[in-house]
Amino acid sequence: MELQELYGLMERFAASGLTRLSWRRAEEEIALERSAAPASPAPAVQGEAPAARTEPPASALPEGEELVKAPLVGTFYAAPSPGEAPFVTPGKQVRKGDPLCVIEAMKMMSELGAPADCVVAEVLAKDGEAVGFGAPLFRIRRT
């Protein structure tokens, strides 16, 4: 297993509700475990800037709009392949299930479809950028 794959597995494990995970492939074996109780956050270092918010509060969204969030950790791709037009652009109307983007995780490409008939108000992620579980990718308005 390459280091990038291991980091992806660790990040997905951390984002899940699991407390134990064992994984085996050929002669490789990985076991991840954590306590069931959530760990308390580390105290902030004096002078440290607070972490940036990755998602606007629900009240900051224009009325009738909602966020489409990343269902997994990976790399966001706006187009089906390099050099092609993006799946969606702001103002584009899409039907439920139409592709919005592709997220690559551990060399697996997962197409993210529209949750409903909607208009894409804004694309929040940048092509080729790493996204975390639950990261906001699009602002949409259902039609």
Side-chain angles (χ1 to χ4, degrees), residues 55-141:
E55 177 180 328
S59 61
L61 288 174
E63 189 174 331
E65 290 189 358
E66 60 188 82
L67 295 174
V68 175
K69 298 178 183 178
L72 54 107
V73 173
T75 304
F76 173 89
Y77 294 110
S81 60
E84 288 192 37
F87 289 109
V88 296
T89 54
K92 181 171 182 181
Q93 184 156 356
V94 294
R95 298 186 60 81
K96 181 177 182 174
D98 285 353
L100 297 174
C101 67
V102 170
I103 298 178
E104 177 187 7
M106 297 175 63
K107 303 191 190 220
M108 297 284 296
M109 302 299 232
S110 299
E111 200 172 83
L112 177 62
D117 292 353
C118 60
V119 173
V120 176
E122 183 180 6
V123 179
L124 301 169
K126 290 187 173 71
D127 192 47
E129 139 183 303
V131 294
F133 176 78
L137 303 176
F138 301 93
R139 269 191 15 233
I140 61 166
R141 208 170 24 261

Side-chain angles (χ1 to χ4, degrees), residues 1-11 30 32 106:
M1 173 179 278
E2 293 185 23
L3 198 53
Q4 183 179 4
E5 291 176 301
L6 177 59
Y7 287 152
L9 182 63
M10 290 168 54
E11 193 167 344
I30 296 172
L32 302 174
M106 297 175 63

